[in-house]
Amino acid sequence: MHALVTRGKPGLELIEIPEPETPAGHVKVRVLRAGICGTDLHIDAWDAWAQSAVTPGLTVGHEFCGEIVEVGEGVTDFAVGQLMSGEGHVVCGHCRNCRAGRRHLCIRTSNLGVQRDGCFAELVVLPAANVWVHPGLTAASATPAQLDVFGIYDPFGNAVHTALKFPVIGEDVLVTGAGPIGLMAAMVARHAGARHIVVTDIAEPRLELARTLGFRALNPRDASIGDVQRELGMQEGFDVALEMSGSPTALVGIIENLNFGGRIAMLGLPSAPIEVDFGKVVSHMLTIQGIYGREMFETWYAMSAMAQTGLDVLPVITDRFAFGDWEAAFDRARSGSAGKVILDFTDDRADGADSQGA
């Protein structure tokens, strides 16, 4: 089968590798869609983080949906032909948090496409415990749009986990970072009943996408968040902030614009140390909560329920490429001007076995 692997240097390679076995307790999946994540871009660049976390020869990718084609010994809850999305965090099941039902806090988490072979391949194997089935649908009956959305349930889950960490009904919400997850988080907050939602970013194409989705969006280098609050008639600061950018200056701006008792959910990984005014954190009784991944599987139930009640994140997907055109897809994702970029494994051009990275 064809798989996109890292060789321990800048650039990925699309090569042919043996089809994986299906161990007991696992399922084998034919990949239909896969999303490109910032993590994949780091591995493609083979930066310092990738060098410290990833073993050369690994198949990358962790956001996907597909069709179950084989079940391993002992798997009774799932069957060949079911349409599924994959939870990319594989947990140990034995540490204190796992045994207490807090699997998202497992101290031995192994990540698909980082510590174990991922989904940028024609077939991927993962534990049955990491399967989320889409009832009543198959690869043949699902629409292309449904497959696109199912392919990004992993980052959609990140958005849901972050946006719903604190109650947002009737609250004013500030979202810093208009990347795909930030935009989905804003959509979740709106769906859940937030009042005013303001989105910030420094990339104009992403701000424009936020505006097309109906959000008040601004570049904090060009406009004042305080001025926007006054425009909206807000008498006090924001109640909840969702930090999705990883920018060291974003948290500083959030703290300056939060109401007393404000709550901050941080998903973005800071690219540098942040100097925080903890005097204000204390005196304003602010709460800062780190967010990682998804609650397994409470977040999945929440996002499925919201999708069933009208939340449509399809507009966040701006580009689709055949798997064989992965180089162009990575270029587009790296540009910073796209929303979510996905790879389509059902496209006839997905057999481009001669394609190679730099």
Side-chain angles (χ1 to χ4, degrees):
M1 68 172 188
H2 299 131
L4 195 56
V5 305
T6 176
R7 292 301 196 186
K9 60 183 181 180
L12 304 174
E13 295 185 17
L14 185 62
I15 63 173
E16 190 165 344
I17 64 173
E19 180 177 322
E21 300 294 327
T22 309
H26 288 62
V27 300
K28 184 183 297 183
V29 177
R30 177 172 68 91
V31 179
L32 301 173
R33 297 283 196 279
I36 297 176
C37 174
T39 299
D40 306 317
L41 299 179
H42 283 292
I43 298 173
D44 179 45
W46 200 244
D47 60 15
W49 171 84
Q51 294 173 39
S52 69
V54 181
T55 301
L58 181 97
T59 300
V60 297
H62 59 275
E63 305 174 2
F64 76 102
C65 72
E67 176 186 28
I68 298 175
V69 295
E70 186 177 357
V71 297
E73 181 181 354
V75 176
T76 58
D77 294 336
F78 304 109
V80 170
Q82 288 182 310
L83 183 64
M84 56 76 71
S85 293
E87 164 57 62
H89 292 174
V90 180
V91 301
C92 73
H94 304 293
C95 69
R96 176 180 177 179
N97 281 323
C98 281
R99 289 170 65 86
R102 299 185 294 265
R103 286 181 283 178
H104 61 292
L105 297 175
C106 173
I107 64 172
R108 302 185 186 92
T109 299
S110 174
N111 295 288
L112 206 69
V114 180
Q115 286 88 26
R116 55 196 297 145
D117 285 326
C119 65
F120 289 167
E122 294 176 281
L123 297 165
V124 62
V125 170
L126 76 163
N130 285 64
V131 170
W132 181 267
V133 165
H134 301 287
L137 291 172
T138 65
S141 65
T143 67
Q146 286 176 314
L147 294 178
D148 289 349
V149 172
F150 295 158
I152 61 167
Y153 257 44
D154 177 296
F156 180 23
N158 289 342
V160 170
H161 189 187
T162 308
L164 299 186
K165 188 63 183 180
F166 301 111
V168 295
I169 297 174
E171 302 285 54
D172 295 326
V173 178
L174 175 64
V175 182
T176 53
I181 301 180
L183 293 178
M184 286 191 286
M187 296 170 80
V188 170
R190 181 169 60 192
H191 191 77
R195 184 176 69 158
H196 298 306
I197 301 173
V198 175
V199 180
T200 69
D201 205 290
I202 60 172
E204 186 55 37
R206 287 183 165 177
L207 291 172
E208 188 55 37
L209 179 56
R211 295 180 187 113
T212 65
L213 296 173
F215 296 109
R216 180 68 168 87
L218 64 95
N219 184 333
R221 295 175 176 175
D222 301 329
S224 164
I225 296 175
D227 288 344
V228 172
Q229 291 181 54
R230 286 184 284 275
E231 281 179 30
L232 295 173
M234 294 171 54
Q235 300 300 311
E236 303 174 4
F238 287 93
D239 306 295
V240 176
L242 312 177
E243 205 308 279
M244 319 297 283
S245 71
S247 167
T249 60
L251 182 60
V252 175
I254 286 172
I255 291 173
E256 291 175 352
N257 289 281
L258 275 189
N259 195 5
F260 279 59
R263 292 143 293 171
I264 306 167
M266 291 187 65
L267 180 80
L269 284 170
S271 56
I274 302 174
E275 186 172 335
V276 174
D277 181 358
F278 275 102
K280 183 168 286 188
V281 172
V282 173
S283 64
H284 289 200
M285 295 185 65
L286 306 182
T287 299
I288 303 175
Q289 171 71 58
I291 304 291
Y292 183 69
R294 298 144 300 280
E295 292 186 349
M296 294 176 274
F297 276 85
E298 186 61 26
T299 298
W300 291 77
Y301 284 106
M303 60 184 173
S304 292
M306 285 188 287
Q308 292 169 7
T309 55
L311 178 59
D312 181 14
V313 299
L314 184 64
V316 171
I317 300 172
T318 58
D319 299 87
R320 183 199 295 128
F321 292 82
F323 182 37
D325 293 333
W326 66 271
E327 289 173 293
F330 268 68
D331 286 343
R332 179 65 172 149
R334 195 181 296 109
S335 71
S337 60
K340 195 66 183 178
V341 179
I342 60 172
L343 296 171
D344 182 354
F345 287 72
T346 65
D347 192 302
D348 290 340
R349 292 171 292 164
D351 61 357
D354 295 332
S355 298
Q356 290 189 341

